[in-house]
Amino acid sequence: MDHFSPVDFSNVDVTGGFWAQKQALIRDVTIFAVRDRFADTGRFQAFECGWTEGSDLPRPHYFWDSDIAKWLESAAYLLQKAPNDALQQQVEQVIDLIEAHQSPDGYFNIFHTVVEPENRFRVRDHHELYCLGHLIEAAVAYYNATGRDRLIQILDRYIDLVIRVFCVEHSAGFETPGHEEIELALFKLYRLRGERKYLKLAMFFLNERGKKNENDIGWCNERYNQSHLPVRQQHTAEGHSVRACYLYSAMADAAKETGDRELFEACRDLFDDIVTKKMYITGGIGSSHHGEAFTVAYDLPNDTAYAETCASIALAMFADRMKEIDLDAKYADTVERALYNGVLAGLSLDGKAFFYENPLEINLADHTRHTSVRDGDRLPITQRLEVFGCSCCPPNVTRWYASLGNSVCSVGENTVCVHQFLPCRVQLPDGAVLTMETNYPHDGKVRLYLDGAKGQRLLVRVPGWCKNAAFSVPVRINRGYAELTADSEHFTLDIDFPMQPVFYHANPAVRADAGKCALMRGPIVYCLEGIDNDGALFDLRVDTAGAATLRFDAQMGANVITLPAEKSCAAASPLYFCDDVPREKTTTAFIPYYAFANRGEADMAVWFRTLGA
Amino acid sequence: MDHFSPVDFSNVDVTGGFWAQKQALIRDVTIFAVRDRFADTGRFQAFECGWTEGSDLPRPHYFWDSDIAKWLESAAYLLQKAPNDALQQQVEQVIDLIEAHQSPDGYFNIFHTVVEPENRFRVRDHHELYCLGHLIEAAVAYYNATGRDRLIQILDRYIDLVIRVFCVEHSAGFETPGHEEIELALFKLYRLRGERKYLKLAMFFLNERGKKNENDIGWCNERYNQSHLPVRQQHTAEGHSVRACYLYSAMADAAKETGDRELFEACRDLFDDIVTKKMYITGGIGSSHHGEAFTVAYDLPNDTAYAETCASIALAMFADRMKEIDLDAKYADTVERALYNGVLAGLSLDGKAFFYENPLEINLADHTRHTSVRDGDRLPITQRLEVFGCSCCPPNVTRWYASLGNSVCSVGENTVCVHQFLPCRVQLPDGAVLTMETNYPHDGKVRLYLDGAKGQRLLVRVPGWCKNAAFSVPVRINRGYAELTADSEHFTLDIDFPMQPVFYHANPAVRADAGKCALMRGPIVYCLEGIDNDGALFDLRVDTAGAATLRFDAQMGANVITLPAEKSCAAASPLYFCDDVPREKTTTAFIPYYAFANRGEADMAVWFRTLGA
């Protein structure tokens, strides 16, 4: 096991480029769009705990605490970078309400305070510990941003109650959380405060999980919430994909904190199972809406892809943790894949609307195929919404992109690792400073300055998509990282990751992609959208040997790629025929996958047919 | 409009070959298998009308009368060809029960006699008139077979009641049947008896249909049962596909009987809409299980294909009627397509089990993809069953194949038409005899003798699949029929329809088949089944230029075709990669589509990828 530590985003200033724009969007638009929709839907007011049966207030849902908690966490990350009194005041108001409505014994949960007080800690799937986990993450973020620990103090009393109920009295209706989250939150709090009770509680929940069948949900089995086996015996990714990756993240935290080799190996197997068998090319995971779950290996349908935005974030969280204990580029590659594709597609270009599900193919005809029945097949929606009944994804997007700097660098003994590429200035723990200049992801040239670190080892990820990286000094490549030594106090490194359009095949076992290709350029997955391509996308055959043309599109923030293609001639043909299909030449335009569905409803396809394939 | 009349199957002796074997199977096995399962499930006993709430008897369903009626009709067709006292006695026993339980006013329906007597003629979708229609068809068949008209007399009283309630008093809860069938049955009875009241009632139901919204089913709209427009304004096939084609069959009957040009043109458009936009290559129709319905043009998914066996039969019924008023080979081509494929797949090779749905692709992995939830996607079942809760298909198969001779020939003024090819002896109305010798569908050589018809015009269908038919005398091809004159009293004609494996494309608008081909030889659609082909069927790329090998398989009753192909090498590959896929040569075996799922569960595919396509 390796042992690296991430450089906190507070020490990473994004100085321009693609991500500075996205972070500005989060800071200026998205955080308020999410806040306003949460206000509209009664989520903020719910913290006043005023709901009673028959009242005019919306009935709180048992995951509403977590929606606001993730918003608080996002606000804290923004506050850390730029003070904003109004935002801080709003956070404090929520904390006031939590304090005011915390039970004398420390308990706090809106739903179980006002709707089902009799069911406190009785129903495993009611998300109480999940909500507490998100509140803990918010509390840690807010403390880091402001030095104010009031929320931590409140939650510390709640955690003491949880320890008493679950670990001492065993008086709850279940033993481990139905929706994992508190485990990884407790590791964060433990790292901040150093109190072993947090570590012990996290390890308790991890160690008890899957020891006995405590599932209380009729429509699923124990795999749904990863309770089918003790965690150290889990080697394939199963069940609800967000829950799974939150659990796996906590397992990686535990492996790092305790050096538990068995846990580490389980994590490694789980990660490999996902990225070699169960992940869309976009970094989407959880291919089915049934249980929002992983299914079987290579089962990756495109048009019905669930690929929840939160699940891609959770995968990136897991991968980011894994790279600290097992330095291999596959982890940061996966973070990058999610960052630019599966997660980014979740956010509209104007920063106000979200996808919960992220299909890789849209055929509008499928949405109106049923002409005589009122309800037909269940399909992902085709346009982003501003808020959902279950609105977990929007504040997950805000918190992740606001704290994106966490993924950029990590440090180990006499070593600096660079995982992601963006213009930034990184204050390293020992006083050294790493500066990156790059136009990434638009081109692959990166200039790296390392000041005050003479003699340190530098490990720079070579992205998995890049086959011919060039470095200005000799390097040795090991597990996807270029290794070199900074030989001066003002060390400069020039890197070129040449970017061109590249066509990908899927493993022959992926039925949905058989006979098709996907297009990437650098880390960005492209797609065809009906708006740019007359006629049926499935009829197009792209000439992968043809000359690609790039045109920068400012609205999309990336290059549009055009390629020659063929399509069937418009002439009517019978339904079935044995002559060759008459075809004509055409040109087809690809846009970044993350930018689809920003110009109205249209067909869309990531995987497409090619000439002669 | 043309005006031909079919030669009744009673005058067509199938003298050997493919269909003689299938008819023997129906006569010796299937009719009794269906009977026994109907007995097991209480359907025969239900005619004793002994059910009461709380009794041990199975609660009758409102379509059970029709299940037994179709079995009676099938039995009658068999009795017409070969007396069988036991079978005849069983038919008489059912008629005894109908007579015993007919209401004094003529009404008869098991469900509404014992379960919901208060709802007689109140609920449009309760199939009372549908059941009556099938009883009428049985009565006509039984009269033709035995000369016994007792059932006709019983039903005549019932029909008088229907006329009073619907046409005179207008006292029913609806105006036209929710499930069409009685209309075409009334035309049959009218042709037999010549009583205009039958014709008038049929025309009443046709003419009233769609005049106002009388739909009473919440989950669908008026298209579901073709009530969205007056029938003469219907030009696209909509809704429940069996109901639709039963209606269209009656519309064709009406056009023939009345010469109504508007009805004829509607029928022609409806037929063309189906066969050029909404029909599987197997002759399956109704692509969705939602409403068992037609969807939109070119929407023909293979793995979720509903393609009910009854719907293919209904399409053939419609096509068989159309060819009599609009002689074009497209109609008998469609009958043939259903005969050898979409309908025949509905029956197991041992004659005992049935498909209700007939998918064109099976991926067993899809049936177990949901590992953490109890219920996943709805998919067609993969093995035939002996009986269904809604068991309409089994007796529909028996009655259609037992009376298959109806589709072979028709006659017009000084003209004999030959539509289907099988070894048979046909007694023509004017005393002439037509004899066919052929090994069809195993090869395309047909010898035709026409005795006693010197000077008559002979019209012989050239199957749509055949591009280079050869005739021993000069012929003129018109609308797919070869036209010639029998120039002697003992006229002999030799025909060759050369048969080789032919690869079909689907219209480029059919998304499900994009980039794929299907294989036919003569009228038989082939498929790949996992049992004969190691590994994933979707990974195979068939060499359509390669040499095909034929091997006759006695159990399947047809040739198995082997072709060279390529598949991916077994070596593990990453989930996404940009190098070429290493491939290896293999050989792949195709079996007739109708024979799939007779050797255990397996993957199956009608549409497959090809080399260089």
Side-chain angles (χ1 to χ4, degrees):
Chain A
M1 277 171 67
D2 297 311
H3 199 95
F4 293 94
S5 300
V7 176
D8 191 79
F9 81 99
S10 58
N11 293 314
V12 180
D13 287 328
V14 180
T15 50
F18 188 89
W19 287 111
Q21 284 181 23
K22 289 292 175 199
Q23 288 196 318
L25 189 71
I26 297 285
R27 182 191 67 219
D28 300 336
V29 176
T30 314
I31 191 75
F32 300 109
V34 174
R35 179 195 65 186
D36 293 347
R37 296 299 82 71
F38 280 0
D40 299 344
T41 51
R43 281 166 163 89
F44 277 102
Q45 201 180 359
F47 279 75
E48 296 171 11
C49 292
W51 183 87
T52 53
E53 192 69 55
S55 78
D56 287 341
L57 296 171
R59 186 172 185 269
H61 198 285
Y62 54 67
F63 47 59
W64 276 12
D65 309 51
S66 70
D67 290 341
I68 299 297
K70 279 187 286 187
W71 185 85
L72 295 178
E73 185 186 345
S74 310
Y77 294 146
L78 297 175
L79 288 172
Q80 177 132 12
K81 288 289 183 186
N84 178 325
D85 286 347
L87 202 55
Q88 181 160 347
Q89 201 178 333
Q90 192 150 17
V91 174
E92 289 288 341
Q93 281 168 2
V94 176
I95 299 173
D96 288 344
L97 290 171
I98 295 173
E99 191 164 39
H101 296 285
Q102 183 172 34
S103 295
D105 64 0
Y107 186 85
F108 179 81
N109 178 283
I110 299 167
F111 179 83
H112 283 97
T113 296
V114 301
V115 183
E116 292 188 10
E118 71 282 12
N119 278 337
R120 265 178 49 168
F121 294 141
R122 304 316 307 162
V123 185
R124 187 165 181 239
D125 203 45
H126 268 192
H127 291 36
E128 288 155 289
L129 298 173
Y130 168 81
C131 287
L132 172 53
H134 277 303
L135 285 168
I136 293 171
E137 289 201 84
V140 170
Y142 192 62
Y143 171 80
N144 285 336
T146 63
R148 299 169 78 104
D149 72 348
R150 188 164 57 119
L151 186 53
I152 288 181
Q153 296 301 339
I154 294 167
L155 297 178
D156 183 65
R157 291 193 290 278
Y158 190 2
I159 293 166
D160 284 342
L161 172 69
V162 169
I163 291 169
R164 200 181 79 220
V165 167
F166 285 84
C167 307
V168 180
E169 297 172 354
H170 299 281
S171 57
F174 51 95
E175 314 220 353
T176 64
H179 194 316
E180 302 93 324
E181 154 66 22
I182 190 172
E183 302 88 343
L184 71 86
L186 286 165
F187 282 110
K188 271 193 183 178
L189 188 55
Y190 168 64
R191 284 169 186 158
L192 180 72
R193 309 285 278 197
E195 288 190 48
R196 296 207 45 96
K197 69 177 179 183
Y198 303 135
L199 174 68
K200 279 177 68 180
L201 181 58
M203 291 308 298
F204 173 84
F205 284 140
L206 288 179
N207 289 332
E208 292 304 308
R209 186 163 216 90
K211 282 209 179 149
K212 64 174 200 183
N213 181 358
E214 49 173 334
N215 195 22
D216 57 6
I217 316 174
W219 52 267
C220 61
N221 61 41
E222 309 82 40
R223 277 189 187 81
Y224 173 68
N225 45 25
Q226 300 76 45
S227 305
H228 54 301
L229 284 172
V231 294
R232 289 172 186 78
Q233 294 172 35
Q234 296 194 23
H235 298 277
T236 59
E238 303 289 346
H240 188 280
S241 58
V242 176
R243 299 180 200 222
C245 285
Y246 282 6
L247 171 66
Y248 308 155
S249 295
M251 288 164 63
D253 284 336
K256 182 173 186 178
E257 293 303 329
T258 67
D260 187 319
R261 182 87 204 167
E262 227 182 323
L263 264 180
F264 166 70
E265 285 169 1
C267 285
R268 212 181 42 190
D269 290 351
L270 289 163
F271 184 85
D272 288 346
D273 183 56
I274 295 172
V275 301
T276 66
K277 298 192 179 76
K278 298 175 179 171
M279 180 185 71
Y280 288 100
I281 194 168
T282 57
I285 56 170
S287 65
S288 173
H289 78 276
H290 294 286
E292 312 185 309
F294 288 111
T295 61
V296 294
Y298 305 115
D299 174 49
L300 296 162
N302 292 309
D303 53 353
T304 61
Y306 200 74
E308 185 184 338
T309 306
C310 283
S312 284
I313 292 174
L315 173 60
M317 288 165 52
F318 177 33
D320 251 342
R321 282 162 173 79
M322 288 304 292
K323 77 179 189 308
E324 308 297 342
I325 54 176
D326 184 31
L327 192 73
D328 186 300
K330 67 186 176 185
Y331 300 112
D333 279 347
T334 301
V335 174
E336 184 179 78
R337 194 185 284 281
L339 205 58
Y340 286 98
N341 305 294
V343 181
L344 196 51
L347 180 66
S348 63
L349 292 177
D350 70 5
K352 294 178 180 169
F354 305 87
F355 273 132
Y356 187 110
E357 298 167 56
N358 295 277
L360 277 76
E361 181 178 318
I362 293 174
N363 301 288
L364 292 179
D366 282 356
H367 292 256
T368 54
R369 61 186 287 251
H370 296 289
T371 53
S372 66
V373 297
R374 302 207 196 285
D375 290 306
D377 308 312
R378 189 206 175 276
L379 287 169
I381 58 172
T382 60
Q383 293 284 286
R384 294 175 187 81
L385 297 180
E386 295 195 5
V387 68
F388 303 86
C390 176
S391 208
C392 47
C393 300
N396 227 350
V397 170
T398 55
R399 73 178 180 136
W400 198 47
Y401 282 134
S403 60
L404 175 71
N406 284 329
S407 300
V408 176
C409 284
S410 51
V411 291
E413 204 186 322
N414 198 40
T415 304
V416 179
C417 309
V418 177
H419 307 293
Q420 303 298 339
F421 305 99
L422 68 174
C424 63
R425 184 180 179 282
V426 181
Q427 182 65 56
L428 296 167
D430 57 4
V433 172
L434 182 139
T435 309
M436 264 193 276
E437 291 173 4
T438 179
N439 199 27
Y440 201 96
H442 308 314
D443 71 55
K445 290 191 171 42
V446 180
R447 175 163 287 182
L448 233 156
Y449 302 96
L450 188 54
D451 295 300
K454 183 174 177 185
Q456 285 214 20
R457 187 171 63 144
L458 186 59
L459 298 176
V460 179
R461 178 176 66 103
V462 179
W465 54 260
C466 180
K467 300 297 172 211
N468 44 1
F471 290 80
S472 59
V473 302
V475 300
R476 190 172 74 94
I477 306 287
N478 183 24
R479 302 187 78 197
Y481 280 81
E483 190 176 333
L484 59 138
T485 302
D487 58 7
S488 75
E489 282 298 332
H490 297 284
F491 179 71
T492 302
L493 176 67
D494 278 306
I495 314 170
D496 189 9
F497 301 127
M499 275 186 196
Q500 51 265 171
V502 177
F503 298 94
Y504 283 81
H505 304 280
N507 187 297
V510 181
R511 179 161 50 90
D513 303 333
K516 295 183 177 176
C517 279
L519 172 64
M520 291 183 72
R521 183 176 176 275
I524 295 178
V525 173
Y526 278 77
C527 70
L528 292 164
E529 203 173 30
I531 283 170
D532 308 302
N533 300 282
D534 278 351
L537 302 184
F538 60 84
D539 178 52
L540 287 172
R541 292 205 289 175
V542 177
D543 182 359
T544 55
T549 310
L550 271 62
R551 175 179 60 76
F552 192 78
D553 182 291
Q555 203 223 341
M556 296 185 192
N559 288 294
V560 172
I561 301 176
T562 55
L563 278 162
E566 285 187 15
K567 63 177 181 177
S568 303
C569 291
S573 67
L575 191 46
Y576 304 107
F577 58 99
C578 36
D579 306 316
D580 278 343
V581 195
R583 304 186 69 84
E584 60 190 358
K585 299 219 177 286
T586 185
T587 300
T588 197
F590 289 83
I591 64 166
Y593 171 71
Y594 69 71
F596 87 92
N598 277 283
R599 298 171 295 170
E601 277 198 314
D603 284 355
M604 184 274 288
V606 168
W607 293 92
F608 49 86
R609 296 166 60 208
T610 59
L611 270 186
Chain B
M1 277 170 67
D2 296 311
H3 200 96
F4 293 94
S5 300
V7 176
D8 191 79
F9 82 99
S10 59
N11 293 315
V12 179
D13 288 328
V14 181
T15 50
F18 189 90
W19 288 110
Q21 284 182 22
K22 290 291 174 198
Q23 288 195 320
L25 188 71
I26 297 285
R27 182 191 67 220
D28 299 335
V29 176
T30 314
I31 191 75
F32 300 110
V34 174
R35 178 196 66 187
D36 293 347
R37 296 298 82 73
F38 280 1
D40 299 343
T41 51
R43 281 166 163 89
F44 277 101
Q45 201 179 356
F47 280 75
E48 296 171 11
C49 293
W51 183 87
T52 53
E53 192 70 54
S55 78
D56 288 340
L57 295 171
R59 185 173 186 270
H61 198 285
Y62 54 68
F63 47 59
W64 276 11
D65 309 52
S66 71
D67 290 341
I68 299 298
K70 280 188 285 188
W71 184 85
L72 296 177
E73 184 185 346
S74 309
Y77 294 146
L78 297 175
L79 288 171
Q80 178 132 10
K81 287 291 183 185
N84 178 326
D85 286 347
L87 202 56
Q88 181 160 348
Q89 201 178 332
Q90 192 151 17
V91 174
E92 290 288 341
Q93 281 169 2
V94 177
I95 300 172
D96 288 345
L97 290 171
I98 296 172
E99 190 165 39
H101 295 286
Q102 183 171 36
S103 295
D105 64 0
Y107 186 85
F108 179 81
N109 178 283
I110 298 167
F111 178 83
H112 283 97
T113 296
V114 300
V115 184
E116 293 188 10
E118 71 282 11
N119 278 337
R120 266 177 48 167
F121 294 141
R122 304 315 308 161
V123 185
R124 188 165 182 239
D125 203 44
H126 269 192
H127 291 37
E128 287 155 291
L129 298 173
Y130 167 82
C131 287
L132 172 53
H134 277 303
L135 284 168
I136 293 170
E137 288 201 85
V140 170
Y142 192 62
Y143 172 80
N144 285 335
T146 63
R148 299 169 79 104
D149 72 350
R150 187 163 59 118
L151 186 52
I152 289 180
Q153 296 302 338
I154 293 167
L155 298 177
D156 184 64
R157 292 193 288 277
Y158 189 2
I159 293 166
D160 284 342
L161 171 69
V162 169
I163 292 169
R164 200 181 79 219
V165 167
F166 285 86
C167 307
V168 180
E169 297 173 354
H170 300 280
S171 57
F174 51 94
E175 315 222 351
T176 63
H179 194 317
E180 303 92 324
E181 154 66 24
I182 190 172
E183 302 88 342
L184 72 86
L186 286 165
F187 282 108
K188 272 194 181 175
L189 188 55
Y190 168 66
R191 284 170 186 157
L192 180 71
R193 310 284 278 198
E195 288 191 47
R196 296 207 45 95
K197 68 177 179 183
Y198 303 135
L199 174 69
K200 278 176 69 179
L201 180 58
M203 291 308 297
F204 173 83
F205 284 140
L206 287 180
N207 289 331
E208 292 305 307
R209 185 164 215 89
K211 283 210 176 145
K212 64 175 198 181
N213 181 359
E214 49 173 334
N215 195 24
D216 57 7
I217 316 175
W219 53 268
C220 62
N221 61 42
E222 309 80 41
R223 277 188 187 81
Y224 173 69
N225 45 25
Q226 300 76 46
S227 304
H228 54 300
L229 284 172
V231 293
R232 288 172 186 77
Q233 295 172 37
Q234 296 193 24
H235 298 276
T236 59
E238 302 289 345
H240 187 279
S241 59
V242 176
R243 299 180 199 223
C245 286
Y246 283 6
L247 171 66
Y248 308 155
S249 294
M251 287 163 64
D253 283 337
K256 182 173 186 177
E257 293 303 329
T258 67
D260 188 319
R261 182 88 203 165
E262 225 182 326
L263 265 181
F264 166 70
E265 284 169 1
C267 286
R268 212 180 43 189
D269 290 350
L270 289 163
F271 184 86
D272 288 346
D273 183 56
I274 295 172
V275 301
T276 65
K277 299 191 179 75
K278 299 175 179 171
M279 179 186 70
Y280 289 99
I281 194 168
T282 56
I285 56 169
S287 64
S288 173
H289 78 275
H290 294 286
E292 313 184 311
F294 288 110
T295 60
V296 295
Y298 304 116
D299 174 49
L300 296 162
N302 292 308
D303 54 351
T304 60
Y306 199 74
E308 184 185 340
T309 306
C310 283
S312 284
I313 292 174
L315 173 61
M317 287 165 51
F318 177 32
D320 251 341
R321 282 162 172 81
M322 287 305 293
K323 77 178 189 310
E324 308 296 343
I325 55 177
D326 184 31
L327 192 74
D328 185 299
K330 66 186 176 185
Y331 300 112
D333 279 346
T334 300
V335 173
E336 183 178 78
R337 194 184 284 280
L339 205 57
Y340 286 97
N341 305 293
V343 181
L344 196 50
L347 180 65
S348 63
L349 292 176
D350 70 4
K352 292 178 181 169
F354 305 87
F355 273 131
Y356 188 110
E357 299 166 56
N358 295 278
L360 277 77
E361 181 179 317
I362 292 175
N363 301 286
L364 291 179
D366 283 355
H367 292 256
T368 54
R369 62 186 286 251
H370 296 290
T371 53
S372 67
V373 297
R374 301 208 196 285
D375 291 306
D377 308 313
R378 188 206 176 276
L379 287 168
I381 58 172
T382 60
Q383 293 284 285
R384 293 174 187 82
L385 297 179
E386 295 196 4
V387 68
F388 303 85
C390 176
S391 210
C392 47
C393 299
N396 227 350
V397 169
T398 55
R399 72 177 181 138
W400 198 46
Y401 282 134
S403 60
L404 174 72
N406 283 330
S407 300
V408 176
C409 283
S410 51
V411 292
E413 204 186 324
N414 198 39
T415 303
V416 179
C417 309
V418 178
H419 307 292
Q420 304 297 339
F421 305 99
L422 68 174
C424 62
R425 184 181 180 284
V426 182
Q427 181 66 57
L428 296 168
D430 56 1
V433 173
L434 181 138
T435 309
M436 266 193 273
E437 291 173 3
T438 179
N439 199 27
Y440 203 97
H442 307 314
D443 72 56
K445 291 191 169 41
V446 180
R447 173 163 287 181
L448 234 156
Y449 302 95
L450 189 54
D451 294 301
K454 183 174 177 184
Q456 284 215 21
R457 185 171 65 141
L458 186 59
L459 297 175
V460 179
R461 178 176 66 102
V462 179
W465 56 260
C466 180
K467 299 297 171 214
N468 44 0
F471 291 80
S472 59
V473 303
V475 300
R476 189 173 75 92
I477 307 287
N478 183 24
R479 302 187 79 198
Y481 281 81
E483 191 175 333
L484 58 138
T485 302
D487 58 7
S488 74
E489 282 299 333
H490 297 284
F491 179 71
T492 302
L493 175 67
D494 279 305
I495 314 170
D496 189 8
F497 302 128
M499 274 187 196
Q500 52 264 170
V502 177
F503 298 94
Y504 284 81
H505 304 281
N507 188 298
V510 181
R511 179 161 51 88
D513 302 334
K516 295 182 177 178
C517 279
L519 172 64
M520 291 183 71
R521 182 175 176 276
I524 295 179
V525 174
Y526 278 76
C527 71
L528 291 165
E529 202 173 29
I531 282 170
D532 307 302
N533 299 281
D534 278 351
L537 302 184
F538 60 83
D539 178 52
L540 286 172
R541 291 204 290 176
V542 176
D543 182 359
T544 55
T549 310
L550 271 62
R551 175 180 59 78
F552 192 78
D553 182 292
Q555 203 223 341
M556 296 186 193
N559 288 294
V560 171
I561 301 176
T562 56
L563 278 160
E566 285 186 13
K567 63 177 180 178
S568 303
C569 292
S573 68
L575 190 46
Y576 304 107
F577 59 97
C578 36
D579 307 316
D580 277 344
V581 196
R583 302 186 70 84
E584 60 189 359
K585 300 219 176 287
T586 184
T587 300
T588 199
F590 289 83
I591 64 166
Y593 170 71
Y594 69 71
F596 87 93
N598 277 283
R599 298 170 295 170
E601 277 199 314
D603 285 355
M604 184 274 287
V606 169
W607 293 92
F608 49 86
R609 296 166 59 207
T610 59
L611 269 185

